[in-house]
Amino acid sequence: MKKKLSRSAKRKLARQKQYKREQIEKFGNDNAKYTAKNLIRQSSRIGFSKKEMKRKNPDHFGIHSKATYKKTMGEVGRFTQFVKEEFGINRLNQFRQEHAEAYLDAKERQGLTKGSLQNVETALIHLSKAMERDEKFGELPSLMPDHRRYTSQSAHEEIERKPRAYQVEEAREIIQRLEEKGQETAASAAYLSMVSGLRAEEVCKIERRHFERHEDHYKIRITRDDPSYVTKGNRYREVRIDAEHTSRLDDLLGGLDERERVIPLESLQLAKMVAAVKQEYDIAWPIMAMHGFRHLFARMRFQDEINHSPEHLDVMNRILDNLFEGKRADAGFSTAEKELYEETKAAMDRVHDELGHGQNRFDLAMRYLDVK
């Protein structure tokens, strides 16, 4: 026999049904995974300058990196699936902070590194912000708290002082060994990275049209929002390649169509080929296969920018010593040394500009310009 509900129970059930009707009317079907991914999709600003949009609107939110967008979409899908399985909730409008916290707890138990946990948290923050800016979901309680759970360490704690760049002789030997094995394309890719500072992914995407031939040298110029999406974040890049490399670049680029890739390899395939040669001939094994060429370019270009001045080099080393000790970059510099300090910093910024980095990036100098 069906139990008769009390008057108060009937009122409660009626309120629940009414609330459900209102939610359906407002949010529609609201399949959590579909809706969440759609919100992330709407927040994509790939191809637009983050700096410019921030300048116009300090509160601007959007995902500008293809890699970040891809990672966020994947993590959001896993998060919504987790909430569905653990809490039986499949409507995004019912997601709350407790569900996000439970997901992060579960990731911790899986043994993820701090860096990976930061990436997971970032994806959830992107979803939270996308919900906050949506007309329907903006009225709901925030999915994520105001403060991050996994904060970054300061640069001097996070960045290990270790060899990152090949010596010139090591780089040349790797290129020579690749040529001896008949892997000419990989050798050209390594050479191009060494003389231009391009990342492996950029080397494998750059096209003939990005190279400008001047009287005695080449210049790489990649415009912002380039359709080939060569650079990280699709940023503008301009790099001068020294005249001594002109002859080899003439050979490499000769006969290519304007839209043809200079290096017809995938970046992972390229890195594996370089790593195999390094391992076989025991060449600078701790250094990353392709990134070691980029670091070498940075250090050689910095020496060029300071005209191989021992005084400026000493200033750079003092700056880096300060940073690795957790001090200000200019700690210990006298007023009389201010001009020398500013000249050295300007050289650092010019190198970072060619690498595709921003200004005042002392944290990156700790990685790229530790020339001791």
Side-chain angles (χ1 to χ4, degrees), residues 66-125:
K66 264 188 176 180
T68 301
Y69 176 79
K70 184 177 179 181
K71 289 177 184 176
T72 300
M73 288 290 270
E75 203 60 62
V76 162
R78 289 186 287 273
F79 170 55
T80 53
Q81 187 64 33
F82 170 85
V83 175
K84 179 180 179 181
E85 294 172 356
E86 296 294 319
F87 297 91
I89 295 173
N90 194 33
R91 295 174 63 82
L92 189 63
N93 66 301
Q94 295 176 350
F95 279 39
R96 297 293 183 265
Q97 277 190 25
E98 63 188 83
H99 304 131
E101 293 289 344
Y103 184 65
L104 291 172
D105 288 341
K107 290 294 181 180
E108 275 192 19
R109 289 194 293 272
Q110 289 178 17
L112 269 64
T113 64
K114 184 175 180 180
S116 296
L117 290 169
Q118 286 176 331
N119 291 338
V120 173
E121 186 176 31
T122 297
L124 299 187
I125 289 171

Side-chain angles (χ1 to χ4, degrees), residues 186-300:
S188 295
Y191 181 85
L192 184 55
S193 181
M194 179 179 69
V195 303
S196 68
L198 293 178
R199 300 175 176 90
E201 296 85 353
E202 295 167 341
V203 165
C204 294
K205 289 180 180 178
I206 199 165
E207 299 174 357
R208 172 64 187 88
R209 64 190 173 87
H210 295 122
F211 291 79
E212 297 178 355
R213 179 68 155 84
H214 294 260
E215 185 175 348
D216 66 344
H217 70 280
Y218 276 93
K219 182 177 284 187
I220 292 174
R221 193 190 303 275
I222 303 169
T223 61
R224 179 181 293 152
D225 307 333
D226 186 272
S228 298
Y229 211 94
V230 177
T231 60
K232 185 177 181 179
N234 215 11
R235 301 186 185 106
Y236 175 81
R237 182 81 65 81
E238 184 175 309
V239 184
R240 182 191 82 254
I241 300 180
D242 295 335
E244 63 185 283
H245 307 297
T246 301
S247 177
R248 178 154 183 168
L249 287 180
D250 282 340
D251 294 338
L252 178 62
L253 301 173
L256 295 180
D257 294 334
E258 284 295 288
R259 292 274 178 176
E260 192 171 350
R261 286 166 57 194
V262 178
I263 305 295
L265 292 173
E266 296 305 315
S267 58
L268 183 59
Q269 178 188 13
L270 170 61
K272 285 182 176 179
M273 293 167 77
V274 174
V277 163
K278 279 165 54 65
Q279 185 173 28
E280 182 177 352
Y281 295 97
D282 193 23
I283 305 170
W285 185 240
I287 294 172
M288 292 177 65
M290 281 299 295
H291 227 54
F293 294 108
R294 179 170 160 85
H295 282 270
L296 174 59
F297 167 83
R299 296 176 194 203
M300 291 193 301

Side-chain angles (χ1 to χ4, degrees), residues 346-359:
M348 175 194 83
D349 284 339
R350 289 194 295 272
V351 173
H352 282 166
D353 187 56
E354 289 198 301
L355 290 172
H357 298 152
Q359 302 287 299

Side-chain angles (χ1 to χ4, degrees), residues 21-64:
R21 283 195 295 270
E22 290 172 354
Q23 294 292 290
I24 292 173
E25 184 178 343
K26 182 174 183 178
F27 295 103
N29 180 43
D30 185 23
N31 175 279
K33 184 178 291 189
Y34 172 81
T35 307
K37 287 195 170 187
N38 195 44
L39 288 174
I40 297 299
R41 197 173 290 112
Q42 292 171 17
S43 71
S44 170
R45 298 294 182 271
I46 293 172
F48 295 91
S49 167
K50 183 176 181 179
K51 182 179 180 180
E52 185 65 21
M53 297 186 88
K54 279 278 190 183
R55 186 184 66 78
K56 293 178 180 177
N57 177 18
D59 295 325
H60 163 73
F61 163 71
I63 299 174
H64 292 258

